[in-house]
Amino acid sequence: MNLEMQQFKAEFFKALAHPLRIRILELLADGDKNVNEIQNLVGSEGSAVSQQLTVLRAKNIVTGTKDGNRVIYSLRDPMIIELLSVARQIFNNHLVDTITMLDKFNDSDNDNGI
């Protein structure tokens, strides 16, 4: 069971490993959207958005519901919103650590008369 869970996690994070897919998920966190809406918001051509939505659908991260001739996309699990929020917090922590390190280097340089 442990190996199956690790495999699931690896495949899940692989599916998230593209900046456009992350952007699409962030947009869907604000509400369901069709392909045209997503395209307009990300400023990307349709084929790129469609390709990334295909990956996200294949990994059951988003769902698509037919509405006439349009497909409306939504997050399959609202926990994705929390995951993206945690990733942002981790990024901010790394940024704070980097700034702190740079400040220490600058202080050290100033103390040495450089």
Side-chain angles (χ1 to χ4, degrees):
M1 180 67 170
N2 203 14
L3 181 58
E4 290 171 357
M5 180 57 70
Q6 292 166 348
Q7 186 66 35
F8 169 81
K9 289 177 182 178
E11 292 297 319
F12 177 79
F13 284 112
K14 242 192 277 186
L16 300 181
H18 192 284
L20 183 52
R21 290 195 289 261
I22 296 294
R23 181 67 183 126
I24 290 169
L25 293 175
E26 290 171 342
L27 291 171
L28 293 176
D30 292 334
D32 301 352
K33 294 178 180 40
N34 65 45
V35 177
N36 289 336
E37 291 172 312
I38 295 169
Q39 281 176 251
N40 290 335
L41 291 167
V42 300
S44 182
E45 62 183 58
S47 62
V49 169
S50 293
Q51 287 173 350
Q52 301 312 325
L53 284 166
T54 298
V55 172
L56 293 170
R57 282 182 79 171
K59 296 298 180 180
N60 289 317
I61 296 172
V62 301
T63 59
T65 308
K66 198 89 162 134
D67 180 27
N69 62 350
R70 300 180 312 165
V71 177
I72 306 297
Y73 289 93
S74 59
L75 297 177
R76 183 173 181 268
D77 189 330
M79 293 290 292
I80 294 289
I81 298 168
E82 290 182 46
L83 178 66
L84 294 172
S85 176
V86 168
R88 182 182 306 257
Q89 290 170 5
I90 292 169
F91 172 80
N92 289 340
N93 291 344
H94 283 275
L95 195 57
V96 167
D97 290 345
T98 302
I99 290 169
T100 301
M101 190 180 346
L102 284 171
D103 286 344
K104 285 180 184 177
F105 284 138
N106 285 335
D107 290 345
S108 175
D109 287 348
N110 290 336
D111 291 343
N112 294 326
I114 298 176

